[in-house]
Amino acid sequence: MMLEPFPARDLHIGQPQPDPTVVVDQALPVYDPARQLSVITHTVKLQGRSTDVHGKGQTPVESRTVGCRTAPSDDRMVLHHRGDKQVLLSDPFSRFAQWLEFAWYRYYSNQSTHDLPDIIAHADASHGWPYFRDQLIGSIVSGAYTPDVVDVVDLPKDRLSVRPLARMSIQDQLVYEALVFSAVELIDSRISDAVFSYRWSKFKGDLRSPKGAWVRMQDQARLLQAKYPTHMLAKTDITSFYEHIEVDILLEDLQSAGVDQWTRDRLEAFLRAFQRLNAVWGIPQGSDASGILANLYLVPIDTVLRRRGLEYVRYSDDIAMFGETWASLRRELLQINRVLRGRHLSMSGAKTKILTAAEAIEEFDDGGKDAIRYGVSIGAPMAGAEVQKMFDTATATYPPNARDIRFALNQFTELDDNYAVSWILGNLAKVPHLAPESIKYLESFRSVLTPVDDSTILEMFASREFADYPYAEHHLLCFLLRRGVHHSKVHEAAWKILSDRNEETYLRETAARYIGLHAGPGDGALLKQEFRTERSDSLRRALLVALYESRQFYGLWLDDAAEAVPGLALTCHYLKTNPIIPLPPVRK
């Protein structure tokens, strides 16, 4: 999805500016217009007129611009606002500003891949991006920036276990990613070719896709198996890896990688404030920036394995290595554990195992899925039947095979086959951790779903049978929002969720959005009351949107809210433009 453009009302960081009317701070280096940043941008409005950035004449004032699409180079200078002047920032400020544009483009355009997409798809940040960006740069340059308190959300891995997700504010996410991505090429140059996670592609100017990286790792493991058919396989990973990454050790690694002092200082300040404010350890979970740092943190493991002549593959902290005997692999695992202890990490005993050569073949054998995937891609006559057979087998066991169900749903979507719809509607309670994939699949058949199907989802949500799985409830309610389903039972359940401060904040935000869109008499007053007593700014933001969509308040109230809660000024300004607010995107 392309980045939604924002109005070209002022100068934007990253735009080459040959126009002589730009005011340049004489203390800063002179800008060379030949060094042009790689951006998707066409116009910039200067002193009441619109000028083509390449100096080719007039263009319409209503033309729009967007941010940095590809990674910037380190030698480019950047424009920034200082009062009524546009000044040129020198390194390292310019590099951070460029990478902030890149982080914004990346974050905004990839929203549908986020575990918890924003309740209004960050339409307020998009609308006010120039102002929002300059405020962030100003606070970073001045040293006044501190991260917000985060929600640590438990996302389901299966019916029983969960993984933590640091749900950062958008400004924290952008600052964190801009700082880390500004050093990504230095970091990636130190990572072994045997590592497949969070790798930088110079060709793309971005990280390689996670799905493609996982497939490449599996392919490489199969090649190693073919090369050493009698070798055994040792597999391990690290207990609570991100949570036990030590900031002091990480900073030494960054210095060793050649990352400049300015970036290290600000990254240190960010991470220490993140830990201090949130009573957490390690680095934020859920951000690609953390994946990049995690790769660097395990470089000593890669070094040891390479020096000892081992063939291995690694995806983040998942390590698989080949050896001739059980005893030799055990020795290697013990050596790895010694290195890990020096980094305050430890191997997961439950996930550490040594497999025979025959078992190793099965570990990476996705040949059946590869054949099905290929058949689907070329439109083979029996491809659909093969997917249906796999789905039936996966759902016949207890508990159902979640991995195969995910695969089958993706292939059904490619085939435009609604074979699994009835099973999902009748059995989602058995696999609540598959709610994102199930809802995505159902939404691919929007035109064929019936009111009866909508009623089934409605009853699932209204009955609160997923109350122990708020992540599933969130996806069910988003489905009802996007389908425009209005029912008193859903309305009542949404109010129960919103009023319960023990519920997850992200679920309460979704409930507020539903109430606002389908507000009844008196809901506006009750939403105002919730706003006045609520402490979470993210939930206050959702309540503002709900009030706006309820049409049960005066516009001047937005001015009062912006003054009372400065962190909501961007949202208030956006709502005053009387927008049609986008719904949360379908998670992909």
Side-chain angles (χ1 to χ4, degrees), residues 371-386:
I372 291 174
R373 190 183 292 112
Y374 178 73
V376 170
S377 68
I378 65 171
M382 296 300 294
E386 290 297 320

Side-chain angles (χ1 to χ4, degrees), residues 383-402:
E386 290 297 320
V387 179
Q388 291 178 10
K389 180 180 178 181
M390 172 174 281
F391 182 80
D392 290 342
T393 302
T395 55
T397 62
Y398 188 83
N401 186 323

Side-chain angles (χ1 to χ4, degrees), residues 410-431:
N410 285 332
Q411 300 310 308
F412 281 144
T413 302
E414 291 293 320
L415 292 166
D416 197 25
D417 185 347
N418 64 357
Y419 182 80
V421 167
S422 60
W423 186 90
I424 289 172
L425 294 174
N427 296 276
L428 188 56
K430 296 179 182 178
V431 286

Side-chain angles (χ1 to χ4, degrees), residues 67-79:
C68 180
R69 183 183 194 181
T70 57
S73 297
D74 289 341
D75 62 345
R76 292 156 176 160
M77 307 309 297
V78 177
L79 286 163

Side-chain angles (χ1 to χ4, degrees), residues 19 162 231 250 254 295 318-319 345 381 383 518 543 559 570:
D19 196 298
V162 296
H231 277 33
L250 178 61
L254 289 167
N295 270 351
D318 290 324
I319 304 168
L345 302 171
H518 304 291
L543 288 165
D559 295 328
L570 195 69

Side-chain angles (χ1 to χ4, degrees), residues 446-458 479 483 485:
R446 290 177 63 89
S447 61
V448 300
L449 291 179
T450 67
V452 174
D453 298 330
D454 289 339
S455 296
T456 302
I457 298 293
L458 182 157
F479 174 87
R483 293 283 289 176
V485 175

